[in-house]
């Protein structure tokens, strides 16, 4: 097998990987190289990778067991693959168009998300990523001292409860099968500052999509602290905009990144298949 080549984006995170064929089994050395690059660059893209469902599932399992994906129906014959899709004439809001880390409201959020593109519009549809290590490093010392030991309150309620964004008020023509549930109102506490279990680096673990407040502080202080942290997370210098192409696989480290979808492709169909790798 040709040696894997890793080309960094030059932004705060992200790299392109070539020299590997994901449509067949990988040896242990190739998997180790990919994992190392993933931990170094946080987001990896693999262009020109036609893949079947079996290929996507096999690649996912190299990095751990499948994660649990609540609130979105999987493919009928593939319980670990969900479709991220939008019809050409669909008027519902763009799915996941807010900064978040996947399923941070779970007791153990996924370690990785893997997304493989099938149909990509000729314009728009970039995915934005930000580096949560760099965001933590950029905070003022007094903010770092204040948030050390604090826990954020995470919940899926704003998105997936019946009265949430994807609940009864969602666009009637949404092509994805989202399953709102009252259980989305449940809350979980996670440390605001987490130490990555593989790299040992400190990263912020907060996101506006699922964090409601900070436990044990006033609403006013929680708001001000979250604003300070989100400014560091989403600063232009800390963001990478990924442009998609058909047959591209992208994987990212959910433990030290946030991401969000963008629109700009009305009148065009878009379809990707998604798996998650169980944490931590």
């Amino acid at each position: 097998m040709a040696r894997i080549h890793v080309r960094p984006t030059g932004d705060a995170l992200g790299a392109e990987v070539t020299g590997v064929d994901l449509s067949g089994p990988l040896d242990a050395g190739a998997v180790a190289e990919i994992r190392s690059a993933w931990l170094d660059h946080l987001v990896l893209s693999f262009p020109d990778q036609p893949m079947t469902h079996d290929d996507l599932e096999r690649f996912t399992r190299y990095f751990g067991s499948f994660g649990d994906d609540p609130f979105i129906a999987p493919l009928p014959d593939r319980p670990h693959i969900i479709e991220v899709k939008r019809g050409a004439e669909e008027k519902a809001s763009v799915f996941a168009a807010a900064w978040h880390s996947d399923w941070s409201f779970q007791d153990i959020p996924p370690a990785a998300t893997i997304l493989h593109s099938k149909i990509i519009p000729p314009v728009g549809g970039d995915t934005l990523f930000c580096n949560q290590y760099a965001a933590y490093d950029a905070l003022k010392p007094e903010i770092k001292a204040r948030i050390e030991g604090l826990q954020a309150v995470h919940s899926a309620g704003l998105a997936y409860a019946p009265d949430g964004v994807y609940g009864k008020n969602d666009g009637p023509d949404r092509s994805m099968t989202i399953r709102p549930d009252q259980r989305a109102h449940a809350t979980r506490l996670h440390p605001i500052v987490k130490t990555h279990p593989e790299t040992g680096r400190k990263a912020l673990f907060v996101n506006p999509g699922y964090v409601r407040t900070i436990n044990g502080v006033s609403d006013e202080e929680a708001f001000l602290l979250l604003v300070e942290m989100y400014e560091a997370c989403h600063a232009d210098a800390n963001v990478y905009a990924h442009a998609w192409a058909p047959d591209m696989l992208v994987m990212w480290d959910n433990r030290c990144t946030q991401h969000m979808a963008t629109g700009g492709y009305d009148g065009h169909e878009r379809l990707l298949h998604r798996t998650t790798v169980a944490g931590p």
Side-chain angles (χ1 to χ4, degrees):
M1 187 184 73
R3 180 171 177 79
I4 292 173
H5 179 68
V6 179
R7 183 178 65 83
T9 64
D11 292 320
L13 67 171
E16 180 184 84
V17 180
T18 54
V20 61
D21 181 2
L22 305 185
S23 67
L26 301 179
D27 62 32
V31 173
E33 284 190 72
I34 292 170
R35 178 179 285 277
S36 177
W38 174 56
L39 293 174
D40 286 345
H41 299 287
L42 289 60
V43 179
L44 298 181
S45 65
F46 300 76
D48 303 318
Q49 297 284 349
M51 297 174 73
T52 65
H53 294 330
D54 287 343
D55 297 335
L56 178 58
E57 290 178 339
R58 181 182 59 251
F59 181 80
T60 303
R61 289 298 303 270
Y62 288 135
F63 300 94
S65 58
F66 290 112
D68 172 32
D69 291 309
F71 308 123
I72 301 175
L75 293 173
D77 59 341
R78 300 284 175 160
H80 303 297
I81 300 177
I82 65 173
E83 288 189 320
V84 179
K85 63 180 179 178
R86 184 176 175 82
E89 305 305 321
E90 189 170 325
K91 301 302 181 186
S93 61
V94 173
F95 177 70
W99 284 108
H100 64 287
S101 56
D102 284 329
W103 309 151
S104 70
F105 52 82
Q106 292 182 323
D107 290 335
I108 303 177
T113 300
I114 298 172
L115 202 54
H116 184 256
S117 60
K118 299 295 186 180
I119 301 172
I120 296 299
V123 294
D126 288 0
T127 301
L128 306 182
F129 294 94
C130 69
N131 183 330
Q132 296 289 81
Y133 294 136
Y136 175 76
D137 292 342
L139 292 177
K140 301 171 185 174
E142 57 267 30
I143 298 296
K144 288 182 179 178
R146 181 66 186 100
I147 63 176
E148 190 67 35
L150 292 180
Q151 294 182 307
V153 180
H154 296 246
S155 170
L158 290 177
Y160 296 107
D163 58 349
V165 171
Y166 303 119
K168 62 180 182 295
N169 296 318
D170 193 16
D173 65 342
R174 185 173 299 281
S175 54
M176 293 180 63
T177 306
I178 298 178
R179 303 183 290 196
D181 194 292
Q182 288 289 353
R183 288 175 292 183
H185 285 300
T187 60
R188 274 88 172 176
L189 297 178
H190 289 294
I192 290 175
V193 181
K194 281 194 171 185
T195 299
H196 194 289
E198 295 186 74
T199 67
R201 297 179 62 188
K202 286 186 174 182
L204 288 180
F205 194 71
V206 289
N207 67 85
Y210 297 129
V211 168
R212 303 296 296 270
T213 188
I214 297 174
N215 191 49
V217 305
S218 69
D219 289 343
E220 180 181 8
E221 184 180 7
F223 174 80
L224 293 173
L225 285 172
L226 288 169
V227 167
E228 186 92 19
M229 288 186 281
Y230 294 151
E231 286 181 349
C233 293
H234 308 140
D236 288 347
N238 196 32
V239 172
Y240 161 57
H242 178 74
W244 289 89
D247 293 326
M248 176 179 282
L249 183 137
V250 174
M251 65 181 297
W252 61 88
D253 194 329
N254 196 55
R255 301 163 293 188
C256 54
T257 65
Q258 291 180 47
H259 63 281
M260 68 174 288
T262 66
Y265 54 92
D266 287 351
H268 300 282
E269 184 181 4
R270 188 172 185 266
L271 174 64
L272 305 95
H273 289 159
R274 176 183 177 277
T275 60
T276 56
V277 178

